[in-house]
């Protein structure tokens, strides 16, 4: 009797759609390779560099892993994350899974973040909530979850899952934007600043699975930066790229940047990049947030004494940014528009090298991740190919307009 052909299982069929979309991205990227410079550097020169910001304080390893997987398939050039070994591990795992789906996918640079001072949010708890919160974060929780798994008592997990919320903030997911501070009517929320141990970061930079570092500055005073830089200088040559994130501090911005560059210059052997952080951690708010960042870019592009290096926009970046950059005449432009004698910085380097998506990139993927039914343990998005495809399409809607990919419909 002739064998009846067995149709492929639906999951594999869906993975095929993911492969088709990501392979088209990969082909589009390979077509742009030129010379022997790293593809990330070529992207910065062309002005189509895209970085995914996981964030300095965002340490939800499961989300970081899934975000890294999706945005690697979408073709980002760099993924930043907290300077923490387990978070770097989550980024690498996501990239490895993406490479197992599309072996030709370009591996993004992995960048660790250091802030002059990081912030997390703490909630003043009463005694009962403090005990509940401790349990939620302790080994007791793991034991109870194991019992729940063995006994299949879903009410137990549901109850336990509520406990962290009773504490008010999931610290590993808080990225310190501060928006909750003014809205708490009981004044129970406070911001706590801390400095990540530079020795730990220095050790991370010596590993071969970290490519870059970004230091976030406040735009005030160079002493703290100097101290931090000196504590990292021994390992700084191990990275390909040193980035500095700058807020707009008005008239003194360029002088401040030049002062920082003077501190860094003797030690930098790779590339350097300035992130213009127009309105930090606000990309998920809307169109208004992006205007401040683009104004910052317009100002910097018009200043001839700005320090050397690539320039990237961050803070307030969302689906409106590329249109806004185009209107300002700065999208992939090598000359500053609107001047009688247009400044040309070289026919092969754009004024603005690219953009960094943060809160908005996490938000659009988060919508898809939340549709995956709750399960025991971490959600691996590749186990849900239809959700992976949806997340990839969301990611492509952000990365595609910068990279100039063909229309989404022709990618799948
Ligand atoms: S609103 Fe911002 S600062 Fe407050 S908990 Fe959420 S991420 Fe953290």
């Amino acid at each position: 009797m002739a064998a009846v052909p067995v149709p492929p299982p639906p999951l594999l069929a869906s993975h095929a759609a993911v492969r088709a979309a990501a392979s088209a991205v990969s082909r589009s990227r390979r077509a742009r390779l030129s010379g022997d410079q790293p593809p990330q550097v070529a992207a910065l020169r062309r002005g189509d560099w895209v970085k995914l910001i996981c964030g300095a304080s965002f340490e939800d390893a499961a989300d970081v892993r899934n975000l890294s997987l999706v945005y690697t398939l979408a073709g980002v050039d760099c993924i930043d994350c907290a300077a923490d070994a387990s978070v770097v591990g989550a980024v690498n795992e996501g990239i490895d899974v993406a490479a197992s789906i599309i072996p030709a996918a370009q591996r993004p640079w992995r960048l660790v973040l250091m802030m002059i001072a990081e912030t997390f949010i703490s909630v003043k708890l009463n005694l009962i909530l403090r005990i509940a919160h401790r349990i939620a974060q302790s080994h007791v929780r793991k034991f109870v979850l194991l019992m729940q798994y063995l006994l299949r008592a879903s009410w137990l997990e549901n109850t336990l899952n509520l406990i962290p919320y009773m504490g008010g903030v999931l610290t590993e997911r808080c990225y310190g934007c501060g928006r909750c501070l003014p809205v708490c009517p009981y004044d129970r929320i406070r911001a706590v600043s801390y400095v990540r141990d530079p020795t730990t970061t220095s050790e991370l930079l010596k590993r071969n699975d970290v490519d870059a570092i970004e230091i976030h500055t406040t735009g005030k005073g160079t002493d703290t930066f100097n101290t931090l830089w000196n504590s990292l200088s021994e390992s700084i040559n191990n990275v390909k790229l040193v980035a500095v994130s700058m807020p707009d501090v008005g008239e003194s911005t360029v002088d401040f940047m030049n002062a920082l560059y003077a501190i860094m210059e003797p030690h930098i052997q790779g590339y350097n990049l300035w992130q213009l952080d127009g309105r930090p951690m606000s990309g998920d708010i809307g169109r208004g947030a992006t205007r401040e960042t683009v104004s910052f870019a317009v100002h910097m592009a018009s200043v001839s004494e700005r320090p050397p290096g690539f320039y990237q926009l961050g803070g307030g970046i969302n689906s409106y940014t590329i249109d806004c950059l185009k209107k300002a005449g700065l999208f992939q432009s090598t000359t500053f528009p609107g001047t009688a004698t247009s400044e040309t910085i070289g026919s092969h380097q754009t004024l603005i090298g690219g953009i960094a998506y943060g809160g908005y990139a996490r938000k659009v993927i988060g919508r898809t991740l939340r549709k995956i039914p709750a399960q025991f343990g971490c959600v691996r998005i590749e186990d849900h190919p239809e959700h992976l495809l949806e997340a990839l399409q969301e990611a492509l809607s952000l990365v595609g307009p910068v990279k100039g990919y063909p229309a989404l419909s022709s990618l799948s």
Side-chain angles (χ1 to χ4, degrees):
M1 198 168 77
V4 178
V6 181
L11 291 187
L12 282 181
S14 295
H15 257 151
V18 169
R19 281 199 188 94
S23 296
V25 166
S26 199
R27 280 196 301 278
S28 172
R29 300 201 53 147
R30 279 201 302 276
R32 290 179 149 220
L33 287 179
S34 60
D36 52 6
Q37 63 188 342
Q40 289 85 355
V41 175
L44 280 165
R45 290 196 201 287
R46 289 191 306 263
D48 64 36
W49 150 280
V50 182
K51 182 181 80 162
L52 165 68
I53 301 175
C54 289
S57 322
F58 187 71
E59 297 190 7
D60 184 322
D63 266 19
V64 167
R65 171 197 184 280
N66 287 325
L67 284 163
S68 301
L69 193 174
V70 171
Y71 281 96
T72 298
L73 291 177
V76 296
D77 300 284
C78 184
I79 297 174
D80 82 22
C81 70
D84 175 277
S86 61
V87 183
V88 172
V91 171
N92 280 312
E93 190 179 322
I95 294 173
D96 287 344
V97 176
S100 73
I101 296 172
I102 300 290
Q106 180 196 295
R107 298 180 82 89
W109 277 350
R110 293 131 317 166
L111 179 153
V112 293
L113 294 159
M114 275 296 279
M115 304 186 84
I116 293 296
E118 293 179 38
T119 301
F120 71 90
I121 297 297
S122 166
V123 179
K124 298 174 206 162
L125 304 172
N126 63 30
L127 181 62
I128 292 175
L129 284 178
R130 270 209 302 272
I131 293 169
H133 200 233
R134 282 266 165 82
I135 290 172
Q137 296 182 323
S138 70
H139 294 295
V140 176
R141 174 185 165 83
K142 289 177 191 152
F143 172 73
V144 178
L145 280 174
L146 177 64
M147 294 306 294
Q148 176 269 321
Y149 178 67
L150 295 173
L151 299 172
R152 302 288 193 274
S154 60
W155 62 269
L156 197 51
E157 185 181 8
N158 290 340
T159 308
L160 276 167
N161 282 340
L162 284 176
I163 291 177
Y165 293 103
M166 293 165 73
V169 174
L170 297 172
T171 48
E172 73 277 15
R173 293 185 64 80
C174 170
Y175 54 96
C177 72
R179 278 180 238 157
C180 57
L181 291 172
V183 295
C184 176
Y186 303 108
D187 193 25
R188 298 187 75 83
I189 302 175
R190 67 196 168 98
V192 181
S193 293
Y194 68 104
V195 178
R196 203 175 281 272
D197 177 23
T199 312
T200 310
T201 305
S202 202
E203 289 306 312
L204 272 178
L205 299 186
K206 291 176 186 165
R207 292 167 37 157
N208 60 8
D209 59 359
V210 171
D211 304 290
I213 182 169
E214 183 173 293
I215 302 173
H216 280 236
T217 65
T218 56
K220 294 180 219 138
T222 53
D223 289 353
T224 322
F225 182 90
N226 203 7
T227 307
L228 178 59
W229 181 258
N230 286 334
S231 61
L232 296 173
S233 58
E234 182 198 325
S235 52
I236 214 81
N237 284 337
N238 296 340
V239 293
K240 304 173 182 106
L241 176 81
V242 175
V244 172
S245 181
M246 272 294 304
D248 187 353
V249 287
E251 291 300 305
S252 60
T253 305
V254 176
D255 288 344
F256 185 73
M257 290 168 75
N258 278 311
L260 296 186
Y261 188 73
I263 293 170
M264 294 189 296
E265 190 181 11
H267 298 285
I268 295 182
Q269 289 186 0
Y271 300 94
N272 80 293
L273 175 141
W274 301 95
Q275 173 165 286
L276 305 178
D277 215 354
R279 191 159 157 194
M281 295 180 263
S282 66
D284 54 322
I285 294 177
R287 188 190 293 266
T290 222
R291 285 200 198 109
E292 283 179 48
T293 312
V294 173
S295 320
F296 191 10
V298 168
H299 173 65
M300 287 306 300
S302 68
V303 176
S304 55
E305 313 85 54
R306 62 181 178 274
F310 294 111
Y311 283 76
Q312 163 201 270
L313 300 198
I317 306 302
N318 52 38
S319 57
Y320 301 109
T321 307
I322 295 305
D323 275 351
C324 206
L325 261 182
K326 283 180 180 167
K327 279 186 191 138
L330 279 182
F331 182 62
Q332 298 177 353
S333 170
T334 55
T335 58
F336 182 67
T339 52
T341 52
S342 286
E343 181 206 355
T344 303
I345 61 168
S347 57
H348 40 256
Q349 183 169 326
T350 50
L351 287 161
I352 302 299
I355 62 174
Y357 287 110
Y360 190 74
R362 299 196 294 270
K363 184 178 176 177
V364 296
I365 304 303
R367 283 198 294 252
T368 303
L369 285 172
R370 278 195 299 279
K371 291 181 196 165
I372 298 175
Q375 59 188 74
F376 186 75
C378 293
V379 170
R380 302 182 337 154
I381 195 168
E382 71 274 21
D383 293 341
H384 307 269
E386 69 283 14
H387 291 97
L388 176 56
L389 179 61
E390 183 183 324
L392 177 57
Q393 285 166 337
E394 293 279 11
L396 287 172
S397 72
L398 299 183
V399 181
V402 190
K403 296 279 182 197
Y405 294 154
L408 272 180
S409 55
S410 62
L411 284 178
S412 50

